[in-house]
Amino acid sequence: MRIVLLGAPGAGKGTQCKRIAAKYGLMHLSSGDILRQERAAGSNLGKKAQSYMDAGELVPDKIIVEMMAGAIKKAADNGFVLDGFPRTVNQAVELDKALTLAGQKINAVLNLEVNDQLIVRRMAGRRSCPKCGAVYHLENLKPKVEGICDNDGDKLVQRPDDNAKVVANRLKTYHQQTEPVVAYYKNNNTVYDINANRTADEVTAAIFENLDAMVSV
Ligand code: AMP
């Protein structure tokens, strides 16, 4: 199964993708996570991406398409769930081209819909573990011990691009450049609109209901 998860930054894509990947045995491919790993490793790719990420802007398509095509090639045959990619119509077109060449296609697109005010609140409270990437929230998804990762005991941090000014820019970028991707997929694929103004567990239940129905067809 090959799935794309769309939604604004802070819509809960990462949390939901991890759950989808675990339930259906898929590889979770997050463009943001791959970029953060490249930055941490000090690679050329990471250095090129840095200024765009810090400003809440999109890294150029050419860099991202190449990076994600490489990650997709390495994914196992049973498939993947894409998180944060594609983020422009051009990226979506390039992804379709690469999949067609490999005799594959996207089976389902999930579109997480959240209102902007809620996103700003969610991102202000988001904390993550720099070591394992687990994501928490100060109010909705608390770790067992405040400020500490449940998995490895590392100290939780706020992503530098989750500060208010950058969040505003990321939302603007989303509306201008990524919302048209939803329309692109609605013309070409099955898109499941999911109301994501709810708890993470409620959103997961709605996603699983749609995917289970699809798998059983
Ligand atoms: P995320 O963790 O998905 O919110 O991504 C963090 C940042 O990485 C974004 O604000 C962008 O600067 C960059 N980024 C991630 N995915 C993409 C993409 N598909 N296209 C362009 N830039 C991206």
Side-chain angles (χ1 to χ4, degrees):
M1 195 155 49
R2 294 176 186 86
I3 299 173
V4 171
L5 197 68
L6 299 174
K13 295 190 297 296
T15 303
Q16 299 302 334
C17 279
K18 286 190 183 88
R19 294 176 180 184
I20 295 168
K23 171 160 169 152
Y24 299 97
L26 307 175
M27 193 132 173
H28 172 199
L29 300 176
S30 157
S31 48
D33 284 351
I34 298 175
L35 287 169
R36 281 182 285 279
Q37 281 157 17
E38 293 286 342
R39 280 182 69 161
S43 72
N44 272 342
L45 171 59
K47 282 181 193 141
K48 279 189 207 157
Q50 194 160 332
S51 60
Y52 299 99
M53 294 174 80
D54 289 346
E57 277 157 24
L58 294 185
V59 176
D61 283 350
K62 196 171 174 298
I63 298 177
I64 292 290
V65 168
E66 219 176 280
M67 177 184 95
M68 293 308 287
I72 286 170
K73 263 198 198 138
K74 282 190 224 143
D77 280 347
N78 49 340
F80 51 75
V81 52
L82 294 177
D83 169 3
F85 174 81
R87 252 179 163 99
T88 64
V89 171
N90 182 41
Q91 290 179 14
V93 170
E94 291 301 321
L95 171 63
D96 274 347
K97 277 192 208 159
L99 290 174
T100 305
L101 273 179
Q104 300 170 347
K105 67 180 176 67
I106 296 298
N107 306 106
V109 179
L110 299 157
N111 178 36
L112 300 186
E113 299 183 300
V114 193
N115 72 52
D116 281 8
Q117 274 172 330
L118 186 60
I119 284 176
V120 171
R121 271 221 311 276
R122 278 193 188 165
M123 286 165 92
R126 181 155 75 173
R127 298 290 180 271
S128 59
C129 173
K131 197 165 172 191
C132 73
V135 179
Y136 301 88
H137 193 277
L138 293 182
E139 292 156 31
N140 313 328
L141 205 62
K142 294 182 184 175
K144 290 188 188 108
V145 180
E146 197 184 315
I148 301 293
C149 179
D150 292 348
N151 300 334
D152 49 38
D154 241 44
K155 205 163 175 258
L156 301 178
V157 296
Q158 184 175 35
R159 268 171 54 174
D161 58 347
D162 275 352
N163 75 62
K165 198 166 148 228
V166 180
V167 165
N169 206 26
R170 290 169 70 195
L171 270 178
K172 195 170 124 215
T173 304
Y174 170 77
H175 289 303
Q176 285 174 347
Q177 301 192 59
T178 308
E179 246 168 20
V181 177
V182 179
Y184 170 84
Y185 278 121
K186 285 193 171 165
N187 283 328
N188 298 292
N189 292 68
T190 309
V191 176
Y192 300 100
D193 286 323
I194 310 279
N195 170 6
N197 299 296
R198 301 182 276 180
T199 65
D201 288 348
E202 285 168 333
V203 175
T204 305
I207 290 175
F208 286 177
E209 200 179 306
N210 282 303
L211 292 180
D212 285 345
M214 195 187 91
V215 171
S216 68
V217 169

